[in-house]
Amino acid sequence: MRSIEELVPRALQADADGLRAVEATRLARWVVDTSQPWWRRTPCAAALAGRVPEEWFAELSARAQDPQDTTEVRIAVLDVLSDRAELLPWLRHEDRRGESGHGMREAVLRARGQLGDRSAAPELATVAFSDSLRSERSGGSGLDALVERYGVEAIRADLGVARPEDRAAHLRLRAGAGEDVADVLADPDPRVAFAAQEYMTDPGRVRAYLAEAPTVDAKLWAAFALYRLTEDLDETRALYATLGSPRVEVPGLDEDVRRAIVHAYAPWGCTRGTDPRWRLEAVCTEPPAPVDQEAQLRRAVAALTAAGLAPQAPVPVGEYNQQGDGTYHVILCGETEVFVSTLGPFVTVTAGDESPAREALRSAGLRWIDPWDTTQVTGLHVYYFGGRAPRSVDTLLFHWQD
């Protein structure tokens, strides 16, 4: 029999099949031993699914409830104990709302759902509506468990419709029951309507709905769903034109900048809260010409050199920040950071004296973007350091995410 150390030699390298073959009491001993590394204890806990030794329940339960233990271990233990009704008083205690470990609150709610606690339904709906895939799965799993126990109609009755997350939960439950959910394309919240179009699978039904859709937004969502299903660009463009090619107008946003941004982030690089007009604009309009990044960087370096600014070699932003990725290169000129976008001939400066660099880059035919311009590209929601919201022009053209 292989040792636990061999089955889990390092973090994120567990032999799950091998662990499931290990005696349950041996695994439990490792899980409760806080002197062992959390990354070994966690897969050992997961391998106890469906075979928790009764004599180890109390100690395992104590690990799940200990706020000083590692969150990953607590969640894994809670998952394998989520059929134990004895945990409900602890799970429902108001202190659980203050759980600070990443993913712990979601795990608590999922366990409540799996134990049949209908009072958790509204909070599970909130978690299921999250943009985080991990949270969405936790909330959805808890709701599914409640539905399996009580039925769709009972759980729908536990949810209101005032909040977008409640309506999204109704949508999930209806779609899971095989109902037609085309009417939800008219939901006023774009996150809910986006989710509804993802559930559309029949192009014929989408076309039929287009004739009855009550709002322009609903028609746009239907057109977008149809494009997703058929990839028929001619049909989508014709529908978009029939609707008047509606756009989200952004005062002060020049057309060349707009085109670069919309084709960089829409239709799929934006998040669920994005207005459908941006998504259809990206599908139905021609993208800008591809950027010759090497030639653009050579022009920028040559102009900065001619201005006596002694530029260093351009560096991709991910390399410059030693992590992540983005849409620009950095050229360091002393203490001045020059950013050159990969989305078009756009440049800016975010540190040091901008004036010499600005004039040099303009003379090379590059488009200067004011770093202090706070123009928001409304309706286009883009992920940026944990947030999903409209961003300023400079953030979108010079976007970095670690």
Side-chain angles (χ1 to χ4, degrees):
M1 177 67 70
R2 295 164 66 193
S3 69
I4 298 296
E5 290 91 342
E6 291 174 315
L7 291 167
V8 194
R10 55 186 59 86
L12 304 178
Q13 290 194 10
D15 180 348
D17 291 334
L19 286 171
R20 281 191 289 270
V22 174
E23 184 184 5
T25 55
R26 185 174 162 216
L27 290 171
R29 225 175 261 117
W30 270 80
V31 175
V32 303
D33 185 354
T34 57
S35 69
Q36 299 297 337
W38 66 267
W39 45 266
R40 280 204 175 104
R41 297 168 63 212
T42 299
C44 286
L48 285 171
R51 57 189 187 116
V52 174
E54 186 63 32
E55 65 272 22
W56 285 92
F57 170 72
E59 288 192 62
L60 289 168
S61 176
R63 292 300 92 230
Q65 297 181 48
D66 183 1
Q68 302 305 313
D69 209 336
T70 306
T71 300
E72 287 80 359
V73 175
R74 297 179 69 199
I75 291 174
V77 173
L78 187 57
D79 281 345
V80 299
L81 297 181
S82 60
D83 60 344
R84 301 298 295 250
E86 304 99 303
L87 289 176
L88 259 180
W90 176 79
L91 291 168
R92 298 180 67 175
H93 194 279
E94 62 181 15
D95 288 350
R96 300 292 77 71
R97 295 178 179 272
E99 290 281 359
S100 58
H102 180 63
M104 191 64 197
R105 174 175 173 269
E106 290 85 349
V108 166
L109 286 168
R110 180 173 66 244
R112 287 173 61 187
Q114 290 168 339
L115 285 169
D117 180 6
R118 289 174 63 174
S119 69
E123 289 180 276
L124 283 167
T126 299
V127 171
F129 196 55
S130 172
D131 284 296
S132 161
L133 183 58
R134 178 177 179 176
S135 296
E136 181 182 351
R137 286 175 174 170
S138 289
S141 175
L143 285 172
D144 290 344
L146 289 174
V147 167
E148 185 175 350
R149 182 174 296 208
Y150 302 108
V152 171
E153 293 309 316
I155 302 309
R156 288 190 65 187
D158 292 337
L159 298 168
V161 294
R163 303 182 308 161
E165 48 264 55
D166 295 327
R167 300 195 299 276
H170 282 286
L171 167 66
R172 175 192 176 89
L173 299 180
R174 288 177 57 192
E179 293 183 29
D180 178 15
V181 295
D183 60 295
V184 188
L185 294 171
D187 193 279
D189 191 297
R191 296 169 297 174
V192 180
F194 178 81
Q197 68 83 27
E198 288 189 304
Y199 283 115
M200 303 302 292
T201 58
D202 179 5
R205 175 65 186 110
V206 178
R207 292 188 183 96
Y209 177 77
L210 272 163
E212 63 190 49
T215 65
V216 170
D217 279 39
K219 292 179 184 294
L220 289 169
W221 283 119
F224 184 65
L226 192 58
Y227 174 72
R228 174 179 58 78
L229 292 169
T230 67
E231 297 185 351
D232 187 332
L233 191 55
D234 290 338
E235 181 180 23
T236 306
R237 286 178 170 172
L239 288 170
Y240 185 57
T242 299
L243 294 172
S245 303
R247 308 196 320 172
V248 177
E249 297 300 338
V250 182
L253 182 62
D254 293 340
E255 285 300 313
D256 58 339
V257 176
R258 181 189 184 101
R259 190 162 62 251
I261 287 174
V262 70
H263 285 280
Y265 295 100
W268 305 114
C270 47
T271 61
R272 291 186 297 182
T274 294
D275 190 300
R277 289 160 182 78
W278 285 114
R279 297 184 188 272
L280 267 297
E281 182 178 341
V283 170
C284 297
T285 61
E286 293 298 326
V291 179
D292 186 338
Q293 294 182 32
E294 293 302 319
Q296 184 165 278
L297 291 169
R298 284 196 298 270
R299 285 166 57 201
V301 169
L304 294 168
T305 301
L309 297 177
Q312 296 183 22
V315 179
V317 61
E319 181 181 335
Y320 184 76
N321 289 322
Q322 299 183 352
Q323 59 184 329
D325 198 6
T327 64
Y328 61 99
H329 289 76
V330 181
I331 303 175
L332 198 59
C333 301
E335 295 183 355
T336 301
E337 296 175 325
V338 175
F339 290 0
V340 182
S341 180
T342 62
L343 306 184
F346 311 115
V347 292
T348 194
V349 174
T350 61
D353 183 4
E354 69 176 57
S355 300
R358 180 183 63 220
E359 297 310 315
L361 294 165
R362 279 177 167 172
S363 70
L366 296 169
R367 174 72 178 276
W368 179 258
I369 303 297
D370 186 349
W372 315 119
D373 185 350
T374 59
T375 299
Q376 297 287 305
V377 183
T378 53
L380 181 65
H381 290 225
V382 174
Y383 181 82
Y384 187 61
F385 287 96
R388 296 164 176 81
R391 304 294 169 192
S392 62
V393 168
D394 68 304
T395 297
L396 294 172
L397 293 179
F398 310 100
H399 187 276
W400 171 66
Q401 186 64 51
D402 67 8

